[in-house]
Amino acid sequence: MPSGITRRLFFQQSFLAGAGALLWQRLNPFASGGSASRRARQAGTPIIITSKTNETGQKAMELGWEILSAGGSALDAVEKATNYIEQDPEDTSVGYGGLPNERGVVQLDASIMDGKTYSAGSVASLENIMYPSSVARLVMERTDHVMLVGPGALEFAKSWGFEEENLLTEKARERWLMWREAHSDRDDWGPPDHLKGREEQGASLDEQLAYTYGTVNVLAVDAAGDVAGITSTSGLSYKIPGRIGDSPIIGAGLYVDNDVGAAGATGRGEDVIKSCAGYYIVMRMKEGRTPQQACEDALHMIAGRYRAVGLDFLPGEKFVAISKDGEYGCCTTTGSRQPRMSVMNEAGLNIYSGSIAFQTE
Ligand code: ASP
């Protein structure tokens, strides 16, 4: 803040300048600061991608593309697309309908980054608010902070008019109850000991009780060449209350560099945090690697860290990335199925299959 003016005055001036500039730019798209040649140099290849490939993910891409193709900002596009996914009750890893923590409470994490202004915002352990990515955007745009957590994040969201809602759907509650009853045979949950017979619960029980990964990454470049991204999640299912994953951590679950592109992560957040994977991927792209190669590099880097301390451990991760010039890629650690992502650009909607970093089968 420049010295000699109060914080309030500075805030008012920045706000007015920001809002005025925005209005001016909307009315006169070619009149702002730079010349036409500067605009041409900065122009990007509009694209929006998401780690979700289901119907909701595809529809979200269409919503984001509507904004991008009309000349709107990458930031607005990623927010609109993410909100659509956050409100889907069928998605048990994001927003409404997300699987709860071990006490049955849905706690959401989300981050947003705007390459154009080198700004970031995030919320973590946010309860009862369906659109955590929009709250993260307000943290980014309307505070001098980057991250708000728990009750502070909730209070902040309510101050902006977000209404508290019960995010635990019946489907998620039933899954949580099943987990609580079956995850241990040494506690008091479930039927009385003399009636406990696990077998009647079906062969797929292990699958149903497995920890669930999911999360959504949405990344975009707009026609002006600006890059933005969001990562939003209900986090690791049945997590310890208060556990925060990689999704709201800038440089881990999300990173954006307006000169390069953007990257997002899903999967075991603990590894993404330790490796600063989002940042690493974008820095690899800056060094000339394609988004696909950079995602692969990050997974090899993480496995290498474990190998260096004598551990043969391959964490379950999926990375997605885009470059400013419209390239994209995704990679997962292991498994039998190629990772996929939804991509929307001038060519239309495409489901892209990426690579598996370690073929173990
Ligand atoms: N990365 C998320 C987390 O660790 C989980 C996920 O992607 O499913 O919270």
Side-chain angles (χ1 to χ4, degrees):
M1 186 189 317
S3 60
I5 61 172
T6 65
R7 184 180 174 82
R8 178 168 292 276
L9 188 60
F10 176 73
F11 167 78
Q12 283 169 351
Q13 284 173 349
S14 328
F15 175 64
L16 291 173
L22 207 70
L23 187 63
W24 175 242
Q25 268 171 20
R26 276 204 191 124
L27 294 172
N28 301 278
F30 294 99
S32 70
S35 63
S37 66
R38 185 169 147 241
R39 287 183 60 82
R41 253 203 336 271
Q42 290 182 334
T45 306
I47 182 172
I48 183 161
I49 68 101
T50 179
S51 51
K52 296 276 177 195
T53 53
N54 60 1
E55 213 177 295
T56 307
Q58 294 181 32
K59 173 76 184 154
M61 292 299 87
E62 283 165 17
L63 293 173
W65 184 252
E66 267 173 30
I67 293 177
L68 293 179
S69 58
S73 71
L75 192 63
D76 288 343
V78 292
E79 184 186 19
K80 179 99 182 214
T82 306
N83 285 169
Y84 190 74
I85 296 166
E86 288 171 330
Q87 71 191 15
D88 177 6
E90 292 305 313
D91 191 322
T92 54
S93 69
V94 179
Y96 178 53
L99 288 172
N101 67 17
E102 67 175 27
R103 292 211 199 117
V105 178
V106 181
Q107 291 186 320
L108 305 177
D109 297 342
S111 62
I112 187 165
M113 196 161 177
D114 179 22
K116 181 180 182 183
T117 57
Y118 185 51
S119 302
S122 77
V123 289
S125 279
L126 175 63
E127 295 175 11
N128 299 341
I129 302 291
M130 195 178 295
Y131 302 111
S133 63
S134 292
V135 183
R137 181 169 178 175
L138 283 165
V139 174
M140 174 173 80
E141 294 183 333
R142 308 308 315 164
T143 79
D144 191 33
H145 305 316
V146 167
M147 189 170 196
L148 294 180
V149 307
L154 177 60
E155 195 183 314
F156 174 79
K158 283 164 65 182
S159 77
W160 280 96
F162 287 85
E163 279 176 18
E164 286 196 71
E165 294 169 80
N166 175 21
L167 302 180
L168 188 67
T169 56
E170 277 306 290
K171 177 178 162 184
R173 194 173 62 80
E174 276 167 22
R175 292 266 299 270
W176 167 65
L177 287 174
M178 193 186 293
W179 171 82
R180 190 176 70 177
E181 292 201 353
H183 80 286
S184 167
D185 56 6
R186 280 176 301 228
D187 62 29
D188 297 328
W189 294 109
D193 275 357
H194 61 284
L195 297 178
K196 253 180 194 147
R198 298 279 187 240
E199 51 294 339
E200 84 264 11
Q201 298 195 43
S204 64
L205 185 64
D206 279 354
E207 216 170 84
Q208 291 183 56
L209 296 178
Y211 283 93
T212 301
Y213 293 110
T215 303
V216 65
N217 312 120
V218 180
L219 311 173
V221 180
D222 60 32
D226 293 315
V227 189
I230 286 179
T231 295
S232 181
T233 189
S234 51
L236 188 61
S237 56
Y238 322 126
K239 60 195 173 188
I240 295 173
R243 177 264 187 189
I244 293 171
D246 58 314
S247 307
I249 297 181
I250 300 298
L254 175 71
Y255 197 71
V256 173
D257 182 321
N258 222 42
D259 289 333
V260 182
T266 59
R268 190 173 181 267
E270 282 66 15
D271 292 292
V272 182
I273 294 173
K274 286 190 291 185
S275 61
C276 302
Y279 186 73
Y280 180 83
I281 293 167
V282 174
M283 290 305 111
R284 293 296 283 167
M285 291 196 283
K286 195 170 192 159
E287 289 164 11
R289 303 286 279 167
T290 64
Q292 182 61 48
Q293 290 167 337
C295 290
E296 291 164 8
D297 291 347
L299 289 168
H300 283 280
M301 176 267 287
I302 293 172
R305 294 272 154 85
Y306 281 112
R307 263 201 312 276
V309 295
L311 297 170
D312 186 17
F313 178 64
L314 292 177
E317 245 96 67
K318 173 179 160 188
F319 296 142
V320 297
I322 59 171
S323 69
K324 193 182 172 81
D325 53 12
E327 283 187 290
Y328 48 87
C330 70
C331 185
T332 191
T333 323
T334 57
S336 51
R337 269 187 300 168
Q338 278 176 278
R340 301 190 320 148
M341 68 200 264
S342 304
V343 178
M344 188 117 190
N345 54 20
E346 270 162 8
L349 182 68
N350 163 31
I351 304 297
Y352 170 78
S353 294
S355 63
I356 302 167
F358 299 90
Q359 296 281 358
T360 50
E361 292 158 22

